[in-house]
Amino acid sequence: MSDWIIILIKIICALVWFLVIALYLTWVERKESAVIQDRIGANRANIWKFRVIGLFQPFADAIKMLFKEDFTPRFSRKFLHNLAPFVSFFFVAITVSAIPFGDVLRIGGREIKLQIVDFNVSLLFVMAMLSLGIYGIILAGWSSNNRYTLLGGMRGAAQLISYEVALGLSLIGLIMVYPSLKLSAIVHYQGELLWGWIPKWGVFLQPLGLLIFFFAALAETKRVPFDLPEGENEIVGFFTEYSGLKWGLFMFTDFMEVLIIACLLTTLFFGGWQVPWLYADGFHFPWGGQWLLPHGIVVAFQVLAFNLKVFFFCWLQVLIRWTYPRFRYDQVMDLGWKLLVPLSLINIAGTAILLSLLG
Amino acid sequence: MIKALGNFIAIIKGSLLTTRHFMVNMWFHTLKLLRIKTKRKGAVTIQYPEEKREIASRHRSLHRLLKRDDGKPRCVACMLCVTVCPSECIFVEATEDPDPEIQKSPSSFIIDLSRCCFCGFCVEACPEDAIRMDTGQIEFAEYTRDRLIYDLEKLTE
Ligand code: SF4
Ligand code: SF4
């Protein structure tokens, strides 16, 4: 019984974390783009003249979205049309269940894993769920019954599927280095040290894999350098026939994808919740010193480290979104099939050779 | 291969540029938050309704009709502005003026600002310097069109 309650609490905490941060990513996006472009950014939303640098903006947006007309075109397939945004939302939201936020927390003789479910194939699960998100796009494009949205949906599906290949292949090298498909195990492996002082993070063992994964993941989020499926301002994308909250769900899904990509980058390549040289009982520095800490503080450090890394990658992705112009479609396909896929194959071969040489 | 590497370096350079902008502006924003005065600001934004930009002296804003010393409009209803107006939005009706020096004066003078394109030709054309666009008023948007039709009284205010 109490196991169920713990799982319920974990689900609620993780989902609230996920949704709130994704909501505030819209604020980060506005503010960061403004700071990059020497502007101030949205700062007018207030509660009783209380502005707090525009922190209420996401709520104002959400309320606006709620009260907008929810328009379904006469010619669309009503059921599928309504289903599509929820499909794409759901498959991203469910991935958070596999993300490890920290190591085990011990309270009152009970060990609680700071991860909703820790199953053996969590890496595959996350990748599979992220790919299933494509169905939302195709459904949206198709069920709108509009030729251009159908084209947009097809374009999106083609782009996502071609990058899915590179995304998957780039992780093979990682799985070779950390022999597990369990995200928590991968994070545990990254706590070990290389030559006694460098943490064994994916970024040091798989630099090329990281690069490929990052590019492919950027393409998966369908945001600016790779925003051919939607292209808010000029391309007729797959969600043209949506309005109000359903449109908002598609936009929100993009931000959730940014967040989940940041989580994955952190978990797979930057040590997840690992802090360098922090072990279960405190810091053991490679130059000999040590600083022992109680269990609660160690867990707090881990969760904080995870969050900071995730925020950094969110920041980086927003920066990239506001730096680069959009690729042409043939360039996107070239980058995917002619550069990333061969590079990831080279990465697999190189990793295999190195591993067998090192024994 | 070399070209691809060059492109890659260019891509990295681009993100470094935006990172620099972000860092520098963030630095000045933080200083401002800590109430430390700096010469430069983090943003070039003018927060419009609270802060207003100074209007240039030759800026063409809302029209006004100038008055003589005795309070009557200076306009002599010569119709030059009506003729020159490209938007055809000035409507002047003339009456006889008791003063033989002046001869004519407007009985009604209407500018339909909903059509006016603020070209300033009326000001240029006027031989009497009776109409000017120097009020500096730029916020006269209205909810209905008929409130944008300014008559003699409104223009001489
Ligand atoms: S500013 Fe130009 S458009 Fe406006 S009333 Fe004068 S002449 Fe006509
Ligand atoms: S040009 Fe001047 S004097 Fe002539 S009608 Fe217009 S405002 Fe009056």
Side-chain angles (χ1 to χ4, degrees), chain A residues 35 38 40 44 315 323-324, chain B residues 11 15 18 25 44 47 50:
Chain A
V35 173
D38 302 350
I40 291 180
R44 298 284 155 154
W315 175 83
T323 303
Y324 300 117
Chain B
I11 283 177
S15 68
T18 38
N25 288 334
V44 292
Q47 302 251 352
E50 294 99 36

Side-chain angles (χ1 to χ4, degrees), chain A residues 31-32 34-41 43-44 51 53 211 215 315 319-320 322-324 327, chain B residues 8 11-12 14-15 18-19 21-23 25-26 29 33 40 42-45 47-50:
Chain A
K31 281 296 193 186
E32 190 180 331
V35 173
I36 289 172
Q37 299 170 351
D38 302 350
R39 297 183 283 114
I40 291 180
N43 63 351
R44 298 284 155 154
R51 279 189 183 167
I53 53 171
L211 222 60
F215 277 125
W315 175 83
L319 185 90
I320 285 169
W322 287 96
T323 303
Y324 300 117
F327 285 114
Chain B
F8 189 70
I11 283 177
I12 301 289
S15 68
T18 38
T19 315
H21 263 262
F22 181 82
M23 291 299 171
N25 288 334
M26 219 42 217
H29 281 308
L33 213 66
R40 238 192 88 176
V44 292
T45 313
Q47 302 251 352
Y48 169 61
E50 294 99 36

